[in-house]
Amino acid sequence: MIVEAAGEVFDEVGYTAASTTEILARSGVTRGALYFHFPSKEAIADAVVAYQTDILVPRPGKVRLQAVIDLTMEYAERLRHDPVLRGAVRLSVEQAAYRKPDSTPYEGLREVVLGLLREARGAGELLPGVDEEEIARLLVGAFTGIQLLSQAATNRADLLPRISVLWRYLLPALAVPGLLTHLDTSPRVRPGATVAEPQGG
Amino acid sequence: MIVEAAGEVFDEVGYTAASTTEILARSGVTRGALYFHFPSKEAIADAVVAYQTDILVPRPGKVRLQAVIDLTMEYAERLRHDPVLRGAVRLSVEQAAYRKPDSTPYEGLREVVLGLLREARGAGELLPGVDEEEIARLLVGAFTGIQLLSQAATNRADLLPRISVLWRYLLPALAVPGLLTHLDTSPRVRPGATVAEPQGG
């Protein structure tokens, strides 16, 4: 409840302007309970940042490159509707407002993507010469910027089409030719979610 | 002088924590002169944001796709060494701290890239089916996120290699085959700058 309330507040006003009093009021917990779990506003922010990785649960089965594509589409859709995830992303992008910036907020995302890409490599889906580490880093970086520009331009209404464009132009350098024409990059969420449902309300 | 001083301060502490007193002290101008040019901190920030487009001056000649690649490399290198540009980028990414976010900070960059891509199309450098508008938006978005992650991971020390990776994996979907092998995506700045020199000191 604390993380949910805090995510909303961070999403709306950013770290600096967020007050623990407001977070308390929205979460409905007592001040004692809040400080028991989180000794500082920074600790609350770290928990909200971790949320963006916690919700990523890749599923087994199907083509692994398709699983990566689907994961980005579901994450994009979730970003449009989940204020806690938006708060996590805002804190990640505006890290300097509350901590010395480092890669921590992006590491969990990168590792999930890297794991799927290694499975894709094992399944013979990737072209020779493709470096899974490079692609994982590239995808997390490109996604982060694309969602920022989509937020600025349309409040993320066009985020899925923008992610679809990324895939259309990247895949020819990644996928073996026989697979390429079978991958679905259309801007929509597929059944078989790889992103977990919101926890709580 | 005001824009330079303000860019540095915004780079270091962000919009919210930046004080006009500090900007005044660094710029060496009088308070009267500052308010004559900029009625508010927001107006100063807008001028700093505009700086990132002002320095982009594409040059004629050579292969146009190479010109786009070179532009991103030079911009990346400049970002590593020019605190005013870093301030502009930080304000763009953290827009919500000072204004209602919109595409304005990214529009100038997008238009310069789009112009070069249209020239590339005219010169027969692009594959059929490549949409210049999509690619211009994609490049600005991907670059924005990649530099954010590079900043978090290495204080932008690995920014040029990361941009090189972006190009290596994007170009097969963009360039005609005869051109592809001739494009240089190595992570370095080429002679024939397309980014203007720092103004002033």
Side-chain angles (χ1 to χ4, degrees):
Chain A
M1 286 188 295
I2 296 167
V3 170
E4 272 188 44
E8 287 177 18
V9 174
F10 289 135
D11 173 41
E12 289 165 25
V13 302
Y15 181 80
T16 309
S19 77
T20 48
T21 303
E22 175 66 19
I23 294 169
L24 270 177
R26 290 209 202 179
S27 67
V29 305
T30 65
R31 191 168 289 271
L34 180 76
Y35 286 116
F36 177 77
H37 292 291
F38 302 106
S40 65
K41 188 164 83 167
E42 189 174 330
I44 305 174
D46 284 341
V48 170
V49 165
Y51 175 88
Q52 66 188 316
T53 303
D54 297 343
I55 62 167
L56 280 183
V57 186
R59 292 213 182 162
K62 75 179 168 186
V63 175
R64 303 323 278 154
L65 265 180
Q66 188 66 54
V68 187
I69 298 167
D70 294 358
L71 192 75
T72 60
M73 289 295 169
E74 290 169 61
Y75 197 80
E77 182 68 13
R78 178 71 172 271
L79 203 43
R80 299 183 57 218
H81 300 293
D82 181 351
V84 187
L85 184 55
R86 286 199 298 271
V89 168
R90 180 164 182 180
L91 288 173
S92 302
V93 163
E94 300 183 5
Q95 275 184 79
Y98 85 98
R99 66 210 295 277
K100 193 168 150 43
D102 66 29
S103 290
T104 309
Y106 307 106
E107 270 312 291
L109 305 173
R110 195 187 60 80
E111 279 170 22
V112 170
V113 172
L114 180 59
L116 288 169
L117 290 170
R118 286 186 173 146
E119 292 173 18
R121 167 65 70 201
E125 298 175 14
L126 298 181
L127 287 170
V130 169
D131 182 321
E132 296 96 280
E133 298 265 3
E134 285 181 347
I135 297 298
R137 244 190 326 259
L138 172 58
L139 283 172
V140 175
F143 187 101
T144 300
I146 289 168
Q147 69 81 26
L148 260 180
L149 265 71
S150 169
Q151 177 185 22
T154 66
N155 198 25
R156 298 197 180 96
D158 67 357
L159 179 53
L160 272 73
R162 284 179 187 239
I163 297 303
S164 173
V165 167
L166 171 68
W167 281 115
R168 258 197 297 121
Y169 290 100
L170 266 188
L171 283 176
L174 305 185
V176 293
L179 180 63
L180 191 55
T181 49
H182 295 288
L183 294 170
D184 177 6
T185 60
S186 58
R188 60 184 179 79
V189 174
R190 282 85 179 165
T194 45
V195 175
E197 289 302 302
Q199 297 147 351
Chain B
M1 287 188 295
I2 295 166
V3 169
E4 272 188 43
E8 286 177 19
V9 175
F10 289 135
D11 173 39
E12 290 164 25
V13 301
Y15 181 81
T16 309
S19 77
T20 49
T21 304
E22 175 66 20
I23 294 169
L24 270 176
R26 292 209 200 176
S27 68
V29 305
T30 65
R31 192 168 288 272
L34 180 76
Y35 286 117
F36 177 77
H37 292 290
F38 301 106
S40 65
K41 189 164 84 168
E42 189 175 329
I44 305 174
D46 285 341
V48 171
V49 165
Y51 175 89
Q52 67 188 316
T53 303
D54 296 345
I55 62 168
L56 280 182
V57 187
R59 293 214 180 160
K62 75 178 166 186
V63 174
R64 303 323 278 154
L65 265 180
Q66 189 65 55
V68 187
I69 298 167
D70 294 358
L71 191 76
T72 60
M73 289 293 169
E74 290 169 61
Y75 198 80
E77 182 68 14
R78 177 71 170 271
L79 202 45
R80 299 183 57 218
H81 300 292
D82 180 350
V84 187
L85 184 55
R86 286 199 297 271
V89 168
R90 180 165 183 181
L91 288 172
S92 301
V93 163
E94 300 183 4
Q95 276 184 77
Y98 86 97
R99 67 210 294 278
K100 195 171 149 39
D102 65 31
S103 290
T104 309
Y106 307 105
E107 271 312 292
L109 305 172
R110 195 187 61 80
E111 279 169 21
V112 169
V113 172
L114 181 58
L116 288 169
L117 289 171
R118 286 186 172 144
E119 291 172 20
R121 167 64 70 201
E125 298 175 14
L126 299 181
L127 287 170
V130 169
D131 182 321
E132 297 96 279
E133 298 265 3
E134 285 180 346
I135 297 298
R137 243 190 327 259
L138 172 59
L139 284 171
V140 176
F143 187 101
T144 300
I146 289 167
Q147 69 81 27
L148 258 180
L149 265 71
S150 168
Q151 178 186 20
T154 67
N155 199 24
R156 296 196 180 96
D158 68 357
L159 180 52
L160 273 73
R162 283 180 188 240
I163 298 302
S164 173
V165 167
L166 171 68
W167 280 116
R168 259 196 296 123
Y169 290 99
L170 265 189
L171 282 176
L174 304 185
V176 293
L179 180 62
L180 192 55
T181 50
H182 295 287
L183 294 170
D184 177 7
T185 59
S186 58
R188 58 184 181 81
V189 173
R190 283 87 179 164
T194 46
V195 174
E197 290 302 302
Q199 298 146 351

Short mmCIF file of all heavy atoms in Angstrom, two decimals, chain A residues 94-145:
data_model
loop_
_atom_site.label_atom_id
_atom_site.label_comp_id
_atom_site.label_asym_id
_atom_site.label_seq_id
_atom_site.Cartn_x
_atom_site.Cartn_y
_atom_site.Cartn_z
N GLU A 94 14.86 10.49 -13.41
CA GLU A 94 15.24 11.68 -12.65
C GLU A 94 16.04 11.31 -11.41
O GLU A 94 15.95 11.97 -10.38
CB GLU A 94 13.97 12.48 -12.27
CG GLU A 94 13.17 12.93 -13.47
CD GLU A 94 11.96 13.79 -13.11
OE1 GLU A 94 11.78 14.13 -11.92
OE2 GLU A 94 11.19 14.12 -14.03
N GLN A 95 16.83 10.25 -11.53
CA GLN A 95 17.62 9.75 -10.39
C GLN A 95 18.39 10.84 -9.67
O GLN A 95 18.50 10.83 -8.45
CB GLN A 95 18.65 8.74 -10.87
CG GLN A 95 18.16 7.33 -11.02
CD GLN A 95 19.33 6.43 -11.41
OE1 GLN A 95 20.12 6.05 -10.58
NE2 GLN A 95 19.41 6.12 -12.68
N ALA A 96 18.97 11.76 -10.44
CA ALA A 96 19.84 12.77 -9.82
C ALA A 96 19.10 13.60 -8.79
O ALA A 96 19.71 14.23 -7.93
CB ALA A 96 20.45 13.66 -10.89
N ALA A 97 17.75 13.59 -8.86
CA ALA A 97 16.97 14.35 -7.88
C ALA A 97 17.05 13.72 -6.49
O ALA A 97 16.77 14.38 -5.50
CB ALA A 97 15.51 14.45 -8.33
N TYR A 98 17.43 12.44 -6.41
CA TYR A 98 17.39 11.85 -5.07
C TYR A 98 18.59 10.98 -4.71
O TYR A 98 18.77 10.63 -3.56
CB TYR A 98 16.08 11.11 -4.83
CG TYR A 98 15.97 9.68 -5.31
CD1 TYR A 98 16.15 8.62 -4.41
CD2 TYR A 98 15.63 9.38 -6.62
CE1 TYR A 98 16.02 7.31 -4.83
CE2 TYR A 98 15.49 8.07 -7.04
CZ TYR A 98 15.68 7.04 -6.15
OH TYR A 98 15.54 5.74 -6.55
N ARG A 99 19.43 10.64 -5.67
CA ARG A 99 20.58 9.80 -5.34
C ARG A 99 21.65 10.01 -6.39
O ARG A 99 21.41 10.60 -7.43
CB ARG A 99 20.16 8.33 -5.30
CG ARG A 99 19.73 7.81 -6.67
CD ARG A 99 18.71 6.71 -6.62
NE ARG A 99 19.15 5.50 -6.02
CZ ARG A 99 19.84 4.55 -6.64
NH1 ARG A 99 20.24 4.71 -7.89
NH2 ARG A 99 20.15 3.45 -6.03
N LYS A 100 22.82 9.48 -6.12
CA LYS A 100 23.87 9.49 -7.13
C LYS A 100 23.46 8.51 -8.21
O LYS A 100 23.27 7.32 -7.94
CB LYS A 100 25.19 9.08 -6.46
CG LYS A 100 26.41 9.35 -7.30
CD LYS A 100 27.68 9.19 -6.49
CE LYS A 100 28.83 8.74 -7.38
NZ LYS A 100 28.88 9.45 -8.67
N PRO A 101 23.28 8.98 -9.45
CA PRO A 101 22.76 8.09 -10.48
C PRO A 101 23.69 6.90 -10.73
O PRO A 101 24.90 7.04 -10.75
CB PRO A 101 22.71 8.98 -11.73
CG PRO A 101 22.62 10.37 -11.21
CD PRO A 101 23.44 10.36 -9.94
N ASP A 102 23.10 5.72 -10.86
CA ASP A 102 23.84 4.54 -11.32
C ASP A 102 22.88 3.66 -12.11
O ASP A 102 21.74 4.02 -12.34
CB ASP A 102 24.51 3.81 -10.16
CG ASP A 102 23.49 3.19 -9.21
OD1 ASP A 102 22.39 2.83 -9.64
OD2 ASP A 102 23.80 3.06 -8.02
N SER A 103 23.34 2.49 -12.52
CA SER A 103 22.54 1.64 -13.41
C SER A 103 21.48 0.83 -12.69
O SER A 103 20.67 0.17 -13.35
CB SER A 103 23.46 0.67 -14.17
OG SER A 103 24.23 1.38 -15.09
N THR A 104 21.47 0.88 -11.36
CA THR A 104 20.58 0.01 -10.59
C THR A 104 19.14 -0.04 -11.12
O THR A 104 18.59 -1.13 -11.30
CB THR A 104 20.59 0.41 -9.11
OG1 THR A 104 21.95 0.51 -8.68
CG2 THR A 104 19.83 -0.58 -8.25
N PRO A 105 18.51 1.12 -11.38
CA PRO A 105 17.11 1.05 -11.79
C PRO A 105 16.90 0.29 -13.10
O PRO A 105 15.80 -0.22 -13.34
CB PRO A 105 16.72 2.53 -11.98
CG PRO A 105 17.71 3.29 -11.18
CD PRO A 105 18.98 2.50 -11.24
N TYR A 106 17.94 0.19 -13.93
CA TYR A 106 17.77 -0.44 -15.24
C TYR A 106 18.29 -1.88 -15.26
O TYR A 106 18.06 -2.61 -16.22
CB TYR A 106 18.52 0.37 -16.30
CG TYR A 106 18.13 1.82 -16.31
CD1 TYR A 106 18.98 2.81 -15.81
CD2 TYR A 106 16.90 2.24 -16.82
CE1 TYR A 106 18.62 4.14 -15.81
CE2 TYR A 106 16.52 3.57 -16.82
CZ TYR A 106 17.40 4.52 -16.31
OH TYR A 106 17.03 5.84 -16.30
N GLU A 107 18.98 -2.29 -14.21
CA GLU A 107 19.64 -3.59 -14.22
C GLU A 107 18.67 -4.75 -14.31
O GLU A 107 18.89 -5.71 -15.04
CB GLU A 107 20.52 -3.75 -12.96
CG GLU A 107 21.92 -3.25 -13.15
CD GLU A 107 22.55 -3.76 -14.43
OE1 GLU A 107 22.82 -4.96 -14.51
OE2 GLU A 107 22.75 -2.96 -15.35
N GLY A 108 17.59 -4.67 -13.53
CA GLY A 108 16.63 -5.76 -13.53
C GLY A 108 15.99 -5.95 -14.90
O GLY A 108 15.85 -7.08 -15.38
N LEU A 109 15.62 -4.84 -15.54
CA LEU A 109 15.03 -4.90 -16.87
C LEU A 109 16.02 -5.52 -17.85
O LEU A 109 15.69 -6.39 -18.64
CB LEU A 109 14.66 -3.49 -17.35
CG LEU A 109 13.73 -2.68 -16.43
CD1 LEU A 109 13.59 -1.25 -16.94
CD2 LEU A 109 12.36 -3.34 -16.36
N ARG A 110 17.26 -5.04 -17.78
CA ARG A 110 18.29 -5.51 -18.70
C ARG A 110 18.50 -7.03 -18.53
O ARG A 110 18.64 -7.76 -19.51
CB ARG A 110 19.61 -4.77 -18.44
CG ARG A 110 20.65 -4.91 -19.54
CD ARG A 110 21.97 -4.30 -19.12
NE ARG A 110 22.51 -4.94 -17.93
CZ ARG A 110 23.17 -6.10 -17.92
NH1 ARG A 110 23.38 -6.74 -19.04
NH2 ARG A 110 23.62 -6.61 -16.79
N GLU A 111 18.50 -7.48 -17.29
CA GLU A 111 18.75 -8.91 -17.06
C GLU A 111 17.63 -9.79 -17.57
O GLU A 111 17.88 -10.87 -18.11
CB GLU A 111 18.99 -9.16 -15.56
CG GLU A 111 20.42 -8.83 -15.16
CD GLU A 111 20.63 -8.84 -13.66
OE1 GLU A 111 19.83 -9.48 -12.95
OE2 GLU A 111 21.59 -8.19 -13.21
N VAL A 112 16.39 -9.34 -17.41
CA VAL A 112 15.26 -10.12 -17.93
C VAL A 112 15.36 -10.23 -19.46
O VAL A 112 15.21 -11.31 -20.04
CB VAL A 112 13.92 -9.50 -17.51
CG1 VAL A 112 12.76 -10.16 -18.25
CG2 VAL A 112 13.73 -9.62 -16.01
N VAL A 113 15.63 -9.10 -20.11
CA VAL A 113 15.74 -9.09 -21.57
C VAL A 113 16.93 -9.95 -22.02
O VAL A 113 16.82 -10.74 -22.96
CB VAL A 113 15.88 -7.64 -22.09
CG1 VAL A 113 16.20 -7.62 -23.58
CG2 VAL A 113 14.60 -6.85 -21.82
N LEU A 114 18.04 -9.81 -21.31
CA LEU A 114 19.24 -10.59 -21.66
C LEU A 114 18.97 -12.09 -21.55
O LEU A 114 19.38 -12.87 -22.41
CB LEU A 114 20.40 -10.18 -20.75
CG LEU A 114 21.73 -10.90 -20.98
CD1 LEU A 114 22.23 -10.67 -22.41
CD2 LEU A 114 22.78 -10.41 -19.97
N GLY A 115 18.25 -12.49 -20.51
CA GLY A 115 17.92 -13.90 -20.34
C GLY A 115 17.11 -14.42 -21.52
O GLY A 115 17.39 -15.51 -22.05
N LEU A 116 16.13 -13.64 -21.97
CA LEU A 116 15.31 -14.06 -23.11
C LEU A 116 16.15 -14.12 -24.39
O LEU A 116 15.98 -15.02 -25.22
CB LEU A 116 14.14 -13.09 -23.29
CG LEU A 116 13.02 -13.19 -22.23
CD1 LEU A 116 12.06 -12.03 -22.36
CD2 LEU A 116 12.27 -14.52 -22.40
N LEU A 117 17.06 -13.15 -24.55
CA LEU A 117 17.90 -13.14 -25.76
C LEU A 117 18.84 -14.34 -25.78
O LEU A 117 19.12 -14.91 -26.84
CB LEU A 117 18.68 -11.84 -25.85
CG LEU A 117 17.86 -10.59 -26.15
CD1 LEU A 117 18.70 -9.33 -25.98
CD2 LEU A 117 17.28 -10.65 -27.57
N ARG A 118 19.32 -14.74 -24.61
CA ARG A 118 20.20 -15.92 -24.56
C ARG A 118 19.42 -17.18 -24.92
O ARG A 118 19.93 -18.08 -25.58
CB ARG A 118 20.82 -16.06 -23.17
CG ARG A 118 21.91 -15.02 -22.96
CD ARG A 118 22.66 -15.21 -21.65
NE ARG A 118 23.80 -14.30 -21.59
CZ ARG A 118 24.25 -13.73 -20.47
NH1 ARG A 118 23.65 -13.97 -19.32
NH2 ARG A 118 25.29 -12.92 -20.52
N GLU A 119 18.16 -17.24 -24.47
CA GLU A 119 17.31 -18.36 -24.88
C GLU A 119 17.08 -18.33 -26.40
O GLU A 119 17.08 -19.37 -27.06
CB GLU A 119 15.97 -18.30 -24.14
CG GLU A 119 16.11 -18.58 -22.63
CD GLU A 119 14.80 -18.35 -21.88
OE1 GLU A 119 13.73 -18.32 -22.51
OE2 GLU A 119 14.86 -18.21 -20.65
N ALA A 120 16.89 -17.12 -26.94
CA ALA A 120 16.72 -16.98 -28.39
C ALA A 120 17.96 -17.46 -29.12
O ALA A 120 17.88 -18.14 -30.15
CB ALA A 120 16.41 -15.52 -28.75
N ARG A 121 19.12 -17.13 -28.58
CA ARG A 121 20.38 -17.61 -29.16
C ARG A 121 20.42 -19.13 -29.13
O ARG A 121 20.74 -19.77 -30.14
CB ARG A 121 21.57 -17.01 -28.39
CG ARG A 121 22.92 -17.64 -28.68
CD ARG A 121 23.37 -17.42 -30.10
NE ARG A 121 23.72 -16.02 -30.35
CZ ARG A 121 23.76 -15.47 -31.58
NH1 ARG A 121 23.49 -16.20 -32.65
NH2 ARG A 121 24.07 -14.20 -31.74
N GLY A 122 20.07 -19.70 -28.00
CA GLY A 122 20.09 -21.15 -27.86
C GLY A 122 19.12 -21.84 -28.82
O GLY A 122 19.36 -22.96 -29.28
N ALA A 123 18.03 -21.15 -29.15
CA ALA A 123 17.02 -21.73 -30.04
C ALA A 123 17.33 -21.45 -31.51
O ALA A 123 16.52 -21.76 -32.38
CB ALA A 123 15.64 -21.17 -29.67
N GLY A 124 18.49 -20.84 -31.76
CA GLY A 124 18.88 -20.57 -33.15
C GLY A 124 18.10 -19.46 -33.82
O GLY A 124 18.00 -19.40 -35.04
N GLU A 125 17.55 -18.53 -33.01
CA GLU A 125 16.73 -17.45 -33.59
C GLU A 125 17.54 -16.23 -34.01
O GLU A 125 17.07 -15.40 -34.79
CB GLU A 125 15.67 -17.01 -32.56
CG GLU A 125 14.70 -18.12 -32.17
CD GLU A 125 13.76 -17.68 -31.06
OE1 GLU A 125 13.67 -16.47 -30.78
OE2 GLU A 125 13.11 -18.56 -30.46
N LEU A 126 18.75 -16.10 -33.46
CA LEU A 126 19.54 -14.88 -33.70
C LEU A 126 20.58 -15.08 -34.80
O LEU A 126 21.19 -16.14 -34.92
CB LEU A 126 20.26 -14.45 -32.42
CG LEU A 126 19.39 -14.09 -31.21
CD1 LEU A 126 20.27 -13.66 -30.04
CD2 LEU A 126 18.41 -12.98 -31.57
N LEU A 127 20.79 -14.03 -35.58
CA LEU A 127 21.83 -14.05 -36.60
C LEU A 127 23.20 -14.18 -35.95
O LEU A 127 23.41 -13.71 -34.83
CB LEU A 127 21.78 -12.73 -37.40
CG LEU A 127 20.62 -12.55 -38.38
CD1 LEU A 127 20.59 -11.12 -38.89
CD2 LEU A 127 20.75 -13.53 -39.54
N PRO A 128 24.14 -14.79 -36.66
CA PRO A 128 25.51 -14.79 -36.13
C PRO A 128 26.00 -13.34 -36.05
O PRO A 128 25.59 -12.49 -36.83
CB PRO A 128 26.30 -15.57 -37.19
CG PRO A 128 25.41 -15.79 -38.35
CD PRO A 128 24.02 -15.44 -37.97
N GLY A 129 26.85 -13.07 -35.07
CA GLY A 129 27.38 -11.70 -34.96
C GLY A 129 26.54 -10.82 -34.05
O GLY A 129 26.99 -9.76 -33.64
N VAL A 130 25.32 -11.25 -33.73
CA VAL A 130 24.50 -10.47 -32.80
C VAL A 130 24.99 -10.71 -31.38
O VAL A 130 25.14 -11.85 -30.95
CB VAL A 130 23.01 -10.87 -32.91
CG1 VAL A 130 22.20 -10.26 -31.78
CG2 VAL A 130 22.45 -10.45 -34.26
N ASP A 131 25.25 -9.63 -30.67
CA ASP A 131 25.75 -9.70 -29.29
C ASP A 131 24.57 -9.46 -28.35
O ASP A 131 24.02 -8.36 -28.29
CB ASP A 131 26.84 -8.64 -29.11
CG ASP A 131 27.46 -8.67 -27.72
OD1 ASP A 131 26.71 -8.88 -26.74
OD2 ASP A 131 28.67 -8.45 -27.61
N GLU A 132 24.20 -10.49 -27.60
CA GLU A 132 23.02 -10.37 -26.74
C GLU A 132 23.16 -9.27 -25.69
O GLU A 132 22.19 -8.58 -25.36
CB GLU A 132 22.74 -11.71 -26.03
CG GLU A 132 22.39 -12.86 -26.98
CD GLU A 132 23.60 -13.71 -27.31
OE1 GLU A 132 24.39 -13.29 -28.19
OE2 GLU A 132 23.76 -14.78 -26.70
N GLU A 133 24.37 -9.11 -25.15
CA GLU A 133 24.60 -8.05 -24.15
C GLU A 133 24.33 -6.67 -24.77
O GLU A 133 23.69 -5.82 -24.16
CB GLU A 133 26.04 -8.10 -23.64
CG GLU A 133 26.44 -9.37 -22.93
CD GLU A 133 26.28 -9.26 -21.42
OE1 GLU A 133 25.82 -8.21 -20.94
OE2 GLU A 133 26.61 -10.24 -20.71
N GLU A 134 24.88 -6.46 -25.96
CA GLU A 134 24.67 -5.17 -26.64
C GLU A 134 23.18 -4.91 -26.88
O GLU A 134 22.69 -3.80 -26.68
CB GLU A 134 25.40 -5.16 -27.98
CG GLU A 134 26.91 -5.00 -27.89
CD GLU A 134 27.60 -4.97 -29.25
OE1 GLU A 134 26.96 -5.31 -30.27
OE2 GLU A 134 28.78 -4.60 -29.30
N ILE A 135 22.50 -5.95 -27.34
CA ILE A 135 21.08 -5.77 -27.69
C ILE A 135 20.23 -5.51 -26.43
O ILE A 135 19.33 -4.68 -26.44
CB ILE A 135 20.54 -7.00 -28.44
CG1 ILE A 135 21.29 -7.15 -29.77
CG2 ILE A 135 19.04 -6.87 -28.71
CD1 ILE A 135 21.10 -6.01 -30.72
N ALA A 136 20.54 -6.20 -25.35
CA ALA A 136 19.78 -5.98 -24.11
C ALA A 136 19.94 -4.54 -23.64
O ALA A 136 18.97 -3.87 -23.29
CB ALA A 136 20.25 -6.97 -23.03
N ARG A 137 21.19 -4.06 -23.65
CA ARG A 137 21.44 -2.67 -23.23
C ARG A 137 20.77 -1.69 -24.18
O ARG A 137 20.17 -0.68 -23.77
CB ARG A 137 22.95 -2.41 -23.21
CG ARG A 137 23.49 -2.09 -21.84
CD ARG A 137 24.92 -1.60 -21.85
NE ARG A 137 25.77 -2.17 -22.88
CZ ARG A 137 26.65 -3.14 -22.68
NH1 ARG A 137 26.78 -3.69 -21.49
NH2 ARG A 137 27.39 -3.58 -23.68
N LEU A 138 20.88 -1.98 -25.48
CA LEU A 138 20.28 -1.10 -26.50
C LEU A 138 18.76 -1.03 -26.31
O LEU A 138 18.17 0.06 -26.37
CB LEU A 138 20.63 -1.64 -27.89
CG LEU A 138 19.95 -1.00 -29.10
CD1 LEU A 138 20.24 0.50 -29.15
CD2 LEU A 138 20.40 -1.67 -30.39
N LEU A 139 18.12 -2.18 -26.09
CA LEU A 139 16.67 -2.20 -25.97
C LEU A 139 16.19 -1.40 -24.76
O LEU A 139 15.24 -0.62 -24.85
CB LEU A 139 16.16 -3.64 -25.88
CG LEU A 139 16.12 -4.41 -27.20
CD1 LEU A 139 15.78 -5.88 -26.94
CD2 LEU A 139 15.11 -3.80 -28.17
N VAL A 140 16.86 -1.59 -23.61
CA VAL A 140 16.44 -0.87 -22.41
C VAL A 140 16.65 0.64 -22.60
O VAL A 140 15.80 1.46 -22.25
CB VAL A 140 17.17 -1.39 -21.16
CG1 VAL A 140 16.82 -0.57 -19.93
CG2 VAL A 140 16.83 -2.86 -20.91
N GLY A 141 17.78 1.01 -23.18
CA GLY A 141 18.05 2.42 -23.41
C GLY A 141 17.08 3.04 -24.40
O GLY A 141 16.49 4.09 -24.14
N ALA A 142 16.88 2.37 -25.53
CA ALA A 142 15.99 2.92 -26.55
C ALA A 142 14.56 3.01 -26.03
O ALA A 142 13.88 4.02 -26.21
CB ALA A 142 16.04 2.06 -27.81
N PHE A 143 14.10 1.97 -25.33
CA PHE A 143 12.75 1.98 -24.78
C PHE A 143 12.58 3.16 -23.81
O PHE A 143 11.57 3.87 -23.85
CB PHE A 143 12.46 0.67 -24.05
CG PHE A 143 11.02 0.53 -23.60
CD1 PHE A 143 10.12 -0.23 -24.31
CD2 PHE A 143 10.57 1.19 -22.45
CE1 PHE A 143 8.79 -0.34 -23.90
CE2 PHE A 143 9.25 1.09 -22.04
CZ PHE A 143 8.36 0.32 -22.77
N THR A 144 13.58 3.36 -22.95
CA THR A 144 13.51 4.44 -21.96
C THR A 144 13.32 5.80 -22.64
O THR A 144 12.50 6.61 -22.23
CB THR A 144 14.78 4.45 -21.10
OG1 THR A 144 14.90 3.19 -20.42
CG2 THR A 144 14.77 5.58 -20.08
N GLY A 145 14.08 6.05 -23.70
CA GLY A 145 13.97 7.33 -24.38
C GLY A 145 12.69 7.46 -25.18
O GLY A 145 12.06 8.51 -25.21
#
